[in-house]
Amino acid sequence: MTSADGTGFDTLAIHAGQEPDPRTGAVNVPIYATSTYAQDGVGGLRSGYEYSRSGNPTRDALETLLAALEGGVRGLTFASGLAAEDCLLRTILAPGDHVVIPDDAYGGTYRLFAQVLGRWGVTFTPASMSDTDAVAAAVTPQTKALWCETPSNPLLGIADIAALAGVARAADVLFVVDNTFASPYLQQPLALGADVVVHSTTKYLGGHSDVVGGALVAAEAELGDRLAYHQNAMGAVPGPFDCFLVLRGIKTLGVRMDRSCATARLVATMLSQHDAVAEVLWPGLATHPGHEVAGRQMRDFGGMVSVRLAAGEQAAVDLCGALSVFTLGESLGGVESLVEHPARMTHASVSGSPLEVPADLVRLSIGLETADDLLDDLAKALG
Ligand SMILES: Cc1ncc(COP(=O)(O)O)c(C=O)c1O
């Protein structure tokens, strides 16, 4: 994957938006810890900055970098992934509008639609994003957007981005792709027809479990401008230190993803041969229903692996507690491997909804530890 001028992904990750500091030559973007900027006379801005909610050089560098990595025209960053989603939805929707959402969306995304935007008069229909016809059938005259997450959290469902872009175009609705699980290193939704990409930068982009953040990247300037207006008007911006952490994390995104994907393949293969495991959900397995589509639209199959335990819910909970190299905790995409029980943890908010996740499911985020240590940990914990 390269930029329009042929520059490789890893070169962009290290250099786009990150020219050495013009004053000192510092190779890293400085952390501009300032809320305001001195003016030379009223309205006399020295370099375009007036107040850090509206703009900050460290944040600008990250936003430029994200736009370059996703192949978009405008990147915007936020205090969390959900803040990014909220800004996007309240920019593009009005009361009475309808959205088609994944029937296996991240629990927090579902909660935003059901508990926040619902009260604001927005309706939604969950549909299986791996079934393009079902998505097209869920579109109504009130539909303004189609929201997709691929691979999905935590069921690792795969949606055909190019096919869904066709559905969105035919219905004249905005097409949003949450690219958090893949990262722009593995998948570039804008090139496949998406209008805007969403990220929780908390995950692979930050990559070290030390920051919470979110981002949007727009394919077109007009939408980018509207989002930028709302980013400032709504105000959920990240601080400069958080932006610096994400900038630093992104420099190693490619090498981290390569290692994580390679170890995920070993873990998925080992687990699929284990008697205690009823099903392994990882798009790299030939048996995964989305394997062919994922192979077409992703560079590799990702570092997230979910498993369903043959003995049911208690076995899933026990596995979470029995691992020692994997840390039991929410989130994903960091250097350390994490394990969690979605039904009781990250996806508790979809309990009792059409998006409820199976209670026998365990989600693994494969980090960068020595692969054999992770395999041994799983083998011992499964017994
Ligand atoms: C796919 C996906 N999208 C969005 C979010 C929300 O991001 P944040 O936790 O940074 O608000 C998450 C968080 O887990 C996620 O997994």
Side-chain angles (χ1 to χ4, degrees):
M1 286 171 189
T2 54
S3 69
D5 71 358
T7 307
F9 185 94
D10 295 309
T11 306
L12 287 177
I14 293 166
H15 295 292
Q18 303 164 82
E19 290 299 314
D21 178 47
R23 193 162 74 85
T24 62
V27 294
N28 285 302
V29 176
I31 301 167
Y32 283 90
T34 188
S35 58
T36 192
Y37 306 83
Q39 302 191 10
D40 295 324
V42 174
L45 306 185
R46 293 185 188 176
S47 53
Y49 295 101
E50 57 184 5
Y51 184 59
S52 275
R53 171 163 39 71
S54 316
N56 176 284
T58 317
R59 192 173 97 211
D60 277 358
L62 175 59
E63 294 180 341
T64 302
L65 172 61
L66 288 168
L69 295 182
E70 288 287 3
V73 302
R74 186 78 179 253
L76 296 157
T77 54
F78 296 86
S80 70
L82 281 174
E85 295 185 16
D86 184 36
C87 180
L88 170 62
L89 290 167
R90 287 200 282 152
T91 300
I92 63 173
L93 300 176
D97 289 344
H98 172 262
V99 184
V100 182
I101 68 162
D103 67 358
D104 57 350
Y106 164 59
T109 299
Y110 173 76
R111 184 176 53 203
L112 181 61
F113 277 100
Q115 307 298 337
V116 181
L117 291 159
R119 285 197 286 122
W120 201 55
V122 167
T123 59
F124 62 91
T125 303
S128 167
M129 290 292 144
S130 55
D131 181 346
T132 305
D133 293 339
V135 174
V139 172
T140 75
Q142 282 70 46
T143 305
K144 288 290 184 313
L146 172 53
W147 186 285
C148 153
E149 192 185 302
T150 182
S152 67
N153 180 5
L155 294 174
L156 283 307
I158 297 294
D160 185 332
I161 297 173
L164 291 181
V167 172
R169 249 192 323 274
D172 195 21
V173 303
L174 200 86
F175 182 33
V176 182
V177 177
D178 183 332
N179 203 25
T180 298
F181 263 38
S183 89
Y185 180 68
L186 296 184
Q187 173 174 281
Q188 305 207 310
L190 300 184
L192 296 169
D195 296 302
V196 56
V197 162
V198 175
H199 276 288
S200 167
T201 57
T202 316
K203 311 294 163 31
Y204 288 104
L205 292 168
H208 296 74
S209 304
D210 53 10
V211 61
V212 171
L216 302 172
V217 180
E220 302 288 347
E222 194 270 336
L223 177 61
D225 288 347
R226 281 166 60 209
L227 291 169
Y229 180 86
H230 281 80
Q231 178 199 42
N232 180 48
M234 294 168 70
V237 293
F241 182 63
D242 287 357
C243 293
F244 167 79
L245 288 174
V246 180
L247 279 166
R248 188 173 68 160
I250 289 175
K251 289 178 197 288
T252 55
L253 178 64
V255 288
R256 286 188 288 104
M257 288 308 292
D258 281 344
R259 168 69 88 84
S260 178
C261 291
T263 308
R265 175 176 296 282
L266 298 175
V267 166
T269 305
M270 180 275 227
L271 290 173
S272 59
Q273 291 158 1
H274 201 289
D275 288 345
V277 174
E279 190 182 4
V280 178
L281 309 174
W282 185 63
L285 293 174
T287 49
H288 188 288
H291 179 65
E292 190 268 327
V293 173
R296 220 182 322 124
Q297 69 190 16
M298 297 175 73
R299 184 201 293 253
D300 202 339
F301 297 99
M304 298 300 298
V305 181
S306 289
V307 285
R308 299 188 67 176
L309 276 289
E313 178 170 7
Q314 194 52 48
V317 171
D318 290 346
L319 174 61
C320 293
L323 289 161
S324 59
V325 181
F326 285 83
T327 300
L328 174 58
E330 303 202 354
S331 202
L332 59 113
V335 293
E336 64 291 293
S337 294
L338 294 171
V339 59
E340 67 118 3
H341 185 254
R344 294 194 195 173
M345 296 171 64
T346 52
H347 290 67
S349 60
V350 297
S351 170
S353 84
L355 281 76
E356 185 163 288
V357 296
D360 58 9
L361 189 79
V362 169
R363 191 188 75 183
L364 302 170
S365 171
I366 306 301
L368 310 186
E369 299 92 339
T370 306
D372 281 345
D373 293 335
L374 296 173
L375 294 169
D376 287 351
D377 197 27
L378 284 163
K380 280 195 200 110
L382 285 166

